[in-house]
Amino acid sequence: MRFASRLPAAALAVSLPLCVYAASGSGQSTRYWDCCKPSCSWPGKASVNQPVFACDANNNHLSSFDTPSGCVGGSAFTCANQSPWAVNDNLAYGFAATALSGGSEASWCCGCYALIFTSGPVAGKTMVVQSTSTGGDLGSNHFDIAMPGGGVGLFDGCSRQFGGLPGAQYGGISSQSQCSSFPSALQPGCNWRFDWFKNSDNPSFTFTQVQCPSELVARTGCRRSDDGNFPIFLAPPASGSTTSSVKPATSSVKSTSTTSKAPSASGCSVAQWAQCGGVGWAGCPCVSGTTCKFINDYYSQCI
């Protein structure tokens, strides 16, 4: 279950760590999509530029972060684009409700974590997730990966938003064919579970906290103030690699000055080396001075 508590993290934690450290270890995963307002969408949960975006029933960003969750009779829901997607056959991005040993929402809200799966048909693949919520039913180092069709759980906001979704309350649907009956905005994330994720059932993984890729921040609007202190994530290639790596936060990368598309009407852009296109891509154009280079059907990169 996910519960979007409006209490600030300082009120929920007995004490907070005084230093910044990159969380890492071994973890357990589950899956869910309850449509509820993400817990990290409430103000005051962590030191961030803004809370995670929440949406109305039609997937429009809400202007107020104080709008009550649809799971308690309000009109705030999880935005449909906070679904997982494939970058290439070895890498995916997405979002999760988390509970990390020794921490609280103050230390993990809007943090990003590189998961390397160690069991099931997805073993060897990497997924970078941003923490957007938590839940009282989560165990230690537990990542409940948000994926449409993963089960609505105890706090079912999908009945209010969509009139209900197919599948069991816990675990969700059992067949990819059921994805076609979902609202169109949720179908890509539903299909991802059976394509890239290979319908893995709660695989185990190792994880390391990393700087948030701009592609994830573009969908939530949220970045931690300490994000730059964590290692830089280096994406694995499309094939021939079963591991990914990180660079220390102080590492530099060689810049390439080329021509890019004009900034979007909203003024947003993504940094050099970030994703700028591919199947399911819904982000911003490359920052000025770079260009978007096609890598494969799932991934184009600003260089």
Side-chain angles (χ1 to χ4, degrees), residues 1 9-10 12 19 24 37 58 63 78 147 172 204 237 242 252 264 271 282:
M1 64 180 175
L12 299 175
C19 60
S24 63
K37 175 181 179 176
N58 296 313
S63 59
T78 298
M147 59 182 84
S204 57
T242 57
S252 61
S264 68

Side-chain angles (χ1 to χ4, degrees), residues 31-284:
R31 60 182 180 267
Y32 83 106
W33 188 271
D34 61 11
C35 300
C36 297
K37 175 181 179 176
S39 180
C40 297
S41 291
W42 288 106
K45 287 299 184 77
S47 179
V48 295
N49 64 319
Q50 67 162 58
V52 170
F53 283 129
C55 284
D56 64 21
N58 296 313
N59 284 305
N60 300 304
H61 286 164
L62 292 169
S63 59
S64 173
F65 292 108
D66 290 316
T67 304
S69 173
C71 288
V72 292
S75 58
F77 302 92
T78 298
C79 299
N81 71 348
Q82 290 170 25
S83 296
W85 75 96
V87 175
N88 59 45
D89 53 359
N90 278 334
L91 175 64
Y93 287 153
F95 307 90
T98 59
L100 301 183
S101 178
S104 69
E105 284 189 290
S107 59
W108 66 61
C109 258
C110 297
C112 287
Y113 305 86
L115 316 181
I116 300 178
F117 294 107
T118 56
S119 68
V122 79
K125 291 189 174 190
T126 300
M127 183 177 188
V128 181
V129 298
Q130 185 175 38
S131 175
T132 56
S133 200
T134 191
D137 56 341
L138 299 183
S140 178
N141 291 345
H142 189 161
F143 287 68
D144 201 7
I145 301 173
M147 59 182 84
V152 297
L154 181 60
F155 295 103
D156 173 15
C158 300
S159 292
R160 182 174 176 85
Q161 185 178 12
F162 300 115
L165 293 178
Q169 182 178 8
Y170 298 99
I173 62 175
S174 57
S175 167
Q176 186 169 10
S177 63
Q178 294 174 276
C179 292
S180 62
S181 63
F182 276 62
S184 59
L186 299 182
Q187 289 182 21
C190 182
N191 283 307
W192 172 91
R193 171 183 162 189
F194 297 91
D195 294 333
W196 189 93
F197 200 59
K198 300 183 181 295
N199 198 25
S200 298
D201 188 22
N202 302 340
S204 57
F205 54 84
T206 59
F207 71 94
T208 303
Q209 189 167 4
V210 297
Q211 290 184 26
C212 282
S214 58
E215 298 90 333
L216 292 172
V217 176
R219 298 195 179 200
T220 63
C222 187
R223 188 183 291 277
R224 295 183 58 85
S225 60
D226 59 5
D227 187 64
N229 295 325
F230 300 113
I232 300 168
F233 174 73
L234 298 178
S239 60
S241 174
T242 57
T243 60
S244 54
S245 59
V246 296
K247 294 193 302 182
T250 55
S251 296
S252 61
V253 294
K254 183 179 179 180
S255 64
T256 303
S257 180
T258 55
T259 303
S260 71
K261 298 187 296 183
S264 68
S266 65
C268 72
S269 61
V270 294
Q272 186 178 23
W273 313 120
Q275 184 181 6
C276 56
V279 174
W281 169 248
C284 302

